[in-house]
Amino acid sequence: MGTGPIRTALKVDFGRPAQKQPYFHNRWHPDIPAVGKIAPGEIVKVECVDCSGGQIKNDDCADDARDCDLTQPHYLSGPFEIKGADPGDVLVVEIQDVQPFEDRPWGFTAVFDRHNGGGFLDDHYPRAAKGELTATKAIWDFEGIFCSSRHIPHVRFPGLIHPGIMGCAPSAGVLAEWNRRESELVAASAPGRVVALLPQPENVHAGSASEDLKARIGREGARTIPGRPEHGGNCDIKNLSRGSKTYLPVHVPGAKFSVGDLHFSQGDGEISFCGAIEMAGIITFKFGLMKGGIQDLDMKSPIFCPGPVEPHFSPSRMLTFEGFSVDETGRQHYMDVTVAYRQTCLRVIEYLRRFGYSGEQIYLLLSCAPVQGHVAGIVDIPNACTTMGIPMDIFDFDISPGAPIPELDMGSCAYTSDRR
Amino acid sequence: MGTGPIRTALKVDFGRPAQKQPYFHNRWHPDIPAVGKIAPGEIVKVECVDCSGGQIKNDDCADDARDCDLTQPHYLSGPFEIKGADPGDVLVVEIQDVQPFEDRPWGFTAVFDRHNGGGFLDDHYPRAAKGELTATKAIWDFEGIFCSSRHIPHVRFPGLIHPGIMGCAPSAGVLAEWNRRESELVAASAPGRVVALLPQPENVHAGSASEDLKARIGREGARTIPGRPEHGGNCDIKNLSRGSKTYLPVHVPGAKFSVGDLHFSQGDGEISFCGAIEMAGIITFKFGLMKGGIQDLDMKSPIFCPGPVEPHFSPSRMLTFEGFSVDETGRQHYMDVTVAYRQTCLRVIEYLRRFGYSGEQIYLLLSCAPVQGHVAGIVDIPNACTTMGIPMDIFDFDISPGAPIPELDMGSCAYTSDRR
Amino acid sequence: MGTGPIRTALKVDFGRPAQKQPYFHNRWHPDIPAVGKIAPGEIVKVECVDCSGGQIKNDDCADDARDCDLTQPHYLSGPFEIKGADPGDVLVVEIQDVQPFEDRPWGFTAVFDRHNGGGFLDDHYPRAAKGELTATKAIWDFEGIFCSSRHIPHVRFPGLIHPGIMGCAPSAGVLAEWNRRESELVAASAPGRVVALLPQPENVHAGSASEDLKARIGREGARTIPGRPEHGGNCDIKNLSRGSKTYLPVHVPGAKFSVGDLHFSQGDGEISFCGAIEMAGIITFKFGLMKGGIQDLDMKSPIFCPGPVEPHFSPSRMLTFEGFSVDETGRQHYMDVTVAYRQTCLRVIEYLRRFGYSGEQIYLLLSCAPVQGHVAGIVDIPNACTTMGIPMDIFDFDISPGAPIPELDMGSCAYTSDRR
Amino acid sequence: MGTGPIRTALKVDFGRPAQKQPYFHNRWHPDIPAVGKIAPGEIVKVECVDCSGGQIKNDDCADDARDCDLTQPHYLSGPFEIKGADPGDVLVVEIQDVQPFEDRPWGFTAVFDRHNGGGFLDDHYPRAAKGELTATKAIWDFEGIFCSSRHIPHVRFPGLIHPGIMGCAPSAGVLAEWNRRESELVAASAPGRVVALLPQPENVHAGSASEDLKARIGREGARTIPGRPEHGGNCDIKNLSRGSKTYLPVHVPGAKFSVGDLHFSQGDGEISFCGAIEMAGIITFKFGLMKGGIQDLDMKSPIFCPGPVEPHFSPSRMLTFEGFSVDETGRQHYMDVTVAYRQTCLRVIEYLRRFGYSGEQIYLLLSCAPVQGHVAGIVDIPNACTTMGIPMDIFDFDISPGAPIPELDMGSCAYTSDRR
């Protein structure tokens, strides 16, 4: 008569490499075999590894971040067949909870070398000797709803745990469109500049696909790095957390829903690329279906409502910085929000550095703390304007403009072992 | 012993054209004469006209918006000399209140023609016959803290009243830098394309400047349209409202602080250019000074804290849309947040159009309602991702994805008289 | 075509005593003549004097508070006839705005002697010599949305301006019921103990009533001091502020709506009796009618929704105290929330006194600052439990339990002139 | 180098009766043996059974609630010795997380008979035939952060999980004081009326105490039903949830901290006595010590700060009801907040019954949903005024006053089997 425990639809085995576990995949392709079925209305748990598949360790050295193999991420859990889902439907994904594993109460934030993934500020951080690769990282310990890091002292904040990636499989047509347009971008770009990641057979993981199918998926499958309008994917939207409801377009029979790249917390932009607090964890879902929903909602990209329990800061406790589309060399760009947001980030770094943090520490912090990045003005030529709000309550000292600067030991983030 | 009424440091005369009133100016220049002095710690009121100087009327025809003379905006109140302010200081501007005039309880939102200012979606709205100009507008009536419009029915929301523009005068050096970099952008752009607004002698207003000085200011003075990193200016940040505190760099003796472009409400991005609810009004300030603050704060651009009384929506009542840097022709852009945010706006329009609103009405609405525009992901090449959250509580019907579509008369926004 | 200014339905004359102005009244009675008519849907402004009718001055001496004549309050504006309202209807009162008068940017909080009104903690504060009356007060200066007091330094907070009193006139039957039950309480109480204020001819103000009618209203009219379930009245609910909507039962033809007792800010409980920041001001209303609403809603007492712009503090910044129904002599009361809430207040006073404030200052502060008073547990015999949350952000120093106690000059509240 | 899993300081065995498990106790007494030691700074998990020790089942019959043995609750986990704690210190209890057991995703709310515990509205609900006992209950299923009940359809809300009880052991002196004052209350009350629960040897559980000690604890130990000012205890404060920090006075060496009575959610007042959503669960703590803190903070009762992740409703979505100290017979009480709050509850029941719920269902709902109970006015003789705010967003239909009443099947709460 009563209610039983919740079914775990996918269980991770931390004793085996992610590559060897048949219920993961790291490319988007309609033909990756489903790992199970879920009925609309059923509540299920799905376990996930971290985005790197365990490449980054809980230690004080960033060599693993420097050497991280980027042909592997992201290891996604799935795809799941949703019973009754057809192309044209909308899959309603309610995230009822997201939690770290009890015995893995930690996560990491890393900055990769500009020649290995880079990041939003890779002209500035980290700086390697010529011809060498470098990286930094910070390990975060979870204390219930909070996290703190031995690598960035005097900061603590509640997590807004969320999956960086959710999406249904592309149809063959959608996949072809992705490959077309991203190939055209690559073709139109300067040789040697990495502007998009085209299909990559190396390290492809296609779940339980046969060798033939796997090889084809390696040739055709879309990389999971970017989000894409047709299905969402790697959106890195920090608000897709507990209690949120996301409306995803369905492109293939059974929807083939996948999820991964869990974040304990992330700032708007996830600026350091591997910039959220990456973690393994367990996500609790309930699915719904809107038959024919794509047409009914005139939907081209996912829609969502955040949950009701986001960390709650007073607006008057958000110290906020502005940036414009004039870059650090003094060059005027035309309405470029990307440039403006980068300038905004640099303004915050300049401000917080005064308290004794290194630029690298702040870069890591802005990637993963619950900072608010807003588009402010986008029509006053030639200057776009963006803002970044920093919740002052996450620091255990007063960072407001009038406050005296205390003498605090800010320690150090993790660097690579060859740092001189 | 008691407290007296607050001094009004600048009083507007609605009986005279803005051009004839000596305490306004519409260019940034260090030599515009100060209109009065204000001491740090003193509380003062400053009155402002609307950004257009009264060109737009409270009626149901958008001809005035179509014909709006863009060499005139913005009429700023000031500049004020702040006693004791020196270059290198930081001026702390507390906005203690902003209110419309009692006898002018209305404002306007307009979309200009792409050949007269344009807007963020000017490839889409409004559409004119070839070779003609067009425009749309909506008039908003203020009901205390709320506003509603006969041109966009079934919507009502509380204002977050703020000045679109605040800033201290540039020094000669700062001004020269502005002119250099914006001229270089113009020089590097395709002929005929308007990418920046260089100094413009026509309709220059330099307060009580002599004719000679006014002519020089016309040749040298920076336009007020864009915000600029060195002083803020036209930032259009909706959170600079009641109770906010803004830290502005001082570049000239006495700071020469100006303010204008009051908005009853604005959405993130102010996407239709004349897109906030533009109004005349009264702003109450208290100023503070941080001597030598620019160096102490390592400040390159303004910093602020919002006030504690922003309209308060549950996060779970924010229906949120996503956009990516793939444009409407299917072209893949590289990490272009501007493209992503435009796509986000288009997704909202497609969604809300289902309820019977015209695209023009929604464009106007997204410009001025308290919508939240966030940078979500900015590092996953090649796709930047942005979001726009719409507070569902501002509609008097249910806009959630599952809700039935009611039959409502959505009326019409104001069009130009020649619309066929 | 456009919108005109808002009609002021009642204008106050500060040059005349409140007693002489015919659009006020200070008793509840069905026969007080209406001062004007308002149509549903119309937006109107109504001006109000402060609760005392100007007895308390903006100075540093509490003699006026000590000598305050309590037969006079509250001077209510009205009653207004609402067109079309009939007994059985529900009057929907939207408060679109509340503001102080521009030239009266101040208010007061007072503690009266226990023999002249008293207060929730009148066994403790203020303490007079035997046989003498005493009082304290604090004057608050309004700085836009904020207020601060020279009598309680180092505190500043945003107002949540609201009328302490709103209600429709009682019918003859309702009035008779009030008089019956309050007389019975008086009759059942110890002689000399003031447990209720029965009709009081002295200083009765019945608007423009004839002398005969006025005399009758003096004999029959209910005092405005208590709120009452049948119509609301002096509820002192701090959330009935800008943007709120209140549903009031209608008992007489035309509703006869009155309003007064404006507060710039108030804490839950308004513990010092004259405990909010009392002010004169202007309130903007829009009325609606629900015909037959009392029966439809099964309504016995008013219902309301607060507005969307309340001051916004993070829950984690609310330092919260507990109290139980064990009084300060160690006596156990049975489930007495009143005792519990008093204990809660005393706990806050003990805590804040450590920073150098006097008990009197804190008593005044808790009355008027936006403190949150909650019923926590009410079923675990014999102890009711209540809490009071203090927003830490209203202090300009750190009041958290671990923080060091700074040396600050806390000045003094206003006392009576005979204080030795 | 990295961080290990968190230590579980107390593990519950669901295979054995609570009475047989040596790490529980159900009386407050200084001599109950400690079950373990915890160091300040250490993070630990503590498991708890539900308040009744498993007496209430997940089924559709309320016989178990009717027959619940009230000499047993509450089974508290502990006491724990906190290393270094001495009398006079303050124990700082940070709740880092609270979660249900994975395999017990449900809880219950019950209304007991007035002759077996009763509740705040026991003059009204439930109604038994003469001489018989009755009860009602509702089972709540947890869906991640949300819960819903088959017994109260069309409602769903996020939990604010918290322990109803936390406290340090009383010293012998404190315990004697409790027994003195509660005995005096009993002695002064009418015979037969249950006004307090004095020490009760029946079903005493004193952990691993020897038989002799247990007998003494049975004679002396204070019941856990009421909270008490000296140590907190059964405060039932809904905000003591994730991320909260509570400051508890220490009365005995080692503090002897205990916890229990976990609630998934509770409304202010917990009005139905067994009124929260009672559950078994796991709580994660981190303790701190303020040596000599009682004197430093001038502390007589606990202090706390809530956590930053409370469910977040817009104030304008809180439908709010008022109640006054006039009871349902029309009798006027003097400033009685208890009466006022009861009236407030009755007003809500009358309102919500219109939608088809039974009074019993609403009584259960108001006990456990996140309703806000405020003390509004407490000084206007003779009427105290309180409010209760209902978050409208927890219903899946529109409960606002103007909305049409939909035809919905509201089912039934669980009744006893003998209900005719």
Side-chain angles (χ1 to χ4, degrees), chain C residues 32 42 44 78 94 105 113 158 163 198 207 227 237 288 302 350 365 377 401 404 411:
Chain C
I32 296 172
E42 190 191 6
V44 295
E94 185 177 84
D113 193 275
L198 301 181
I237 295 173
E350 289 151 10
L365 180 64

Side-chain angles (χ1 to χ4, degrees), chain D residues 2-300:
Chain D
T3 336
I6 292 168
R7 174 167 80 91
T8 293
L10 190 158
K11 230 179 158 41
V12 159
D13 177 356
F14 285 103
R16 278 201 294 167
Q19 298 94 314
K20 302 287 182 204
Q21 302 190 40
Y23 33 78
F24 294 143
H25 61 102
N26 63 5
R27 298 292 185 272
W28 290 111
H29 195 285
D31 298 336
I32 296 171
V35 302
K37 296 186 186 187
I38 302 172
E42 190 192 6
I43 300 173
V44 293
K45 299 198 178 198
V46 174
E47 298 186 356
C48 300
V49 285
D50 77 79
C51 63
S52 78
Q55 296 186 56
I56 311 295
K57 305 299 175 196
N58 183 351
D59 61 25
D60 301 320
C61 177
D63 288 357
D64 48 9
R66 179 194 60 200
D67 304 334
C68 187
D69 178 353
L70 290 182
T71 62
Q72 293 189 46
H74 305 81
Y75 288 100
L76 303 181
S77 295
F80 293 97
E81 180 186 331
I82 308 299
K83 290 180 193 169
D86 292 304
D89 294 348
V90 165
L91 182 66
V92 187
V93 183
E94 185 177 83
I95 298 180
Q96 300 201 328
D97 203 357
V98 206
Q99 293 285 350
F101 286 96
E102 263 211 21
D103 55 352
R104 298 176 173 261
W106 65 276
F108 62 91
T109 304
V111 180
F112 289 175
D113 193 274
R114 58 185 309 178
H115 298 104
N116 188 42
F120 191 51
L121 306 180
D122 56 12
D123 282 351
H124 301 266
Y125 307 102
R127 292 198 188 90
K130 232 185 179 163
E132 291 181 4
L133 292 180
T134 189
T136 61
K137 79 176 181 190
I139 299 298
W140 295 89
D141 293 311
F142 307 154
E143 304 191 347
I145 65 166
F146 297 108
C147 65
S148 63
S149 172
R150 61 189 180 266
H151 297 122
I152 308 175
H154 298 291
V155 165
R156 193 167 97 127
F157 47 86
L160 184 63
I161 312 182
H162 62 276
I165 300 182
M166 290 196 298
C168 297
S171 65
V174 165
L175 179 59
E177 167 68 5
W178 294 354
N179 284 332
R180 175 200 63 76
R181 74 181 176 220
E182 294 177 19
S183 301
E184 288 182 6
L185 178 71
V186 170
S189 300
R193 192 172 158 228
V194 182
V195 295
L197 302 172
L198 299 182
Q200 162 65 277
E202 193 183 342
N203 279 319
V204 64
H205 188 349
S208 61
S210 66
E211 281 307 305
D212 274 10
L213 175 54
K214 183 175 169 182
R216 181 158 63 85
I217 289 171
R219 291 190 306 271
E220 300 172 355
R223 302 291 298 276
T224 61
I225 298 286
R228 292 179 182 94
E230 290 83 354
H231 81 145
N234 192 15
C235 292
D236 291 325
I237 295 173
K238 71 180 189 305
N239 311 84
L240 295 179
S241 184
R242 291 170 180 139
S244 67
K245 219 176 225 187
T246 304
Y247 300 82
L248 294 175
V250 173
H251 298 291
V252 300
K256 287 195 164 177
F257 171 84
S258 299
V259 62
D261 191 24
L262 300 197
H263 299 160
F264 188 81
S265 177
Q266 187 204 290
D268 275 341
E270 201 197 3
I271 61 171
S272 88
F273 181 50
C274 185
I277 300 179
E278 311 285 345
M279 68 173 214
I282 308 156
I283 185 163
T284 308
F285 285 117
K286 181 160 140 185
F287 294 97
L289 267 185
M290 299 175 70
K291 296 303 293 179
I294 291 181
Q295 190 175 344
D296 286 353
L297 300 182
D298 199 359
M299 178 187 277
K300 298 212 181 74

Side-chain angles (χ1 to χ4, degrees), chain C residues 147-342:
Chain C
C147 66
S148 62
S149 172
R150 60 189 181 264
H151 298 123
I152 308 175
H154 298 291
V155 165
R156 195 166 97 127
F157 47 87
L160 185 64
I161 311 183
H162 62 276
I165 300 182
M166 289 196 301
C168 297
S171 65
V174 165
L175 178 60
E177 167 69 4
W178 293 354
N179 284 331
R180 175 200 64 75
R181 73 181 176 223
E182 295 176 18
S183 301
E184 288 182 8
L185 178 69
V186 169
S189 300
R193 192 173 159 228
V194 183
V195 295
L197 302 172
L198 301 181
Q200 162 65 277
E202 193 183 343
N203 280 320
V204 65
H205 187 350
S208 61
S210 67
E211 282 307 306
D212 274 10
L213 176 55
K214 183 174 167 182
R216 182 157 64 84
I217 289 172
R219 290 189 306 271
E220 300 172 357
R223 301 293 298 278
T224 61
I225 297 286
R228 293 181 182 92
E230 290 84 353
H231 82 147
N234 192 15
C235 292
D236 291 326
I237 295 173
K238 70 180 190 303
N239 311 84
L240 294 179
S241 184
R242 293 171 177 138
S244 67
K245 220 175 223 184
T246 304
Y247 300 82
L248 293 175
V250 173
H251 298 291
V252 302
K256 288 197 163 176
F257 171 84
S258 299
V259 62
D261 191 24
L262 301 196
H263 298 161
F264 188 82
S265 176
Q266 187 203 290
D268 274 342
E270 201 197 2
I271 60 170
S272 88
F273 181 49
C274 185
I277 300 181
E278 311 285 344
M279 70 174 211
I282 307 157
I283 183 162
T284 309
F285 285 117
K286 181 161 142 186
F287 294 98
L289 268 184
M290 299 177 69
K291 297 302 296 178
I294 290 181
Q295 192 175 342
D296 286 354
L297 300 182
D298 199 359
M299 178 187 278
K300 297 210 182 74
S301 288
I303 301 175
F304 67 96
C305 279
V309 292
E310 301 193 346
H312 193 124
F313 303 105
S314 167
S316 63
R317 301 283 301 164
M318 299 296 288
L319 187 63
T320 308
F321 296 80
E322 306 175 13
F324 299 80
S325 48
V326 176
D327 70 23
E328 53 270 48
T329 70
R331 190 175 154 223
Q332 177 72 56
H333 296 252
Y334 176 73
M335 299 313 289
D336 192 320
V337 181
T338 309
V339 170
Y341 198 60
R342 185 176 291 112

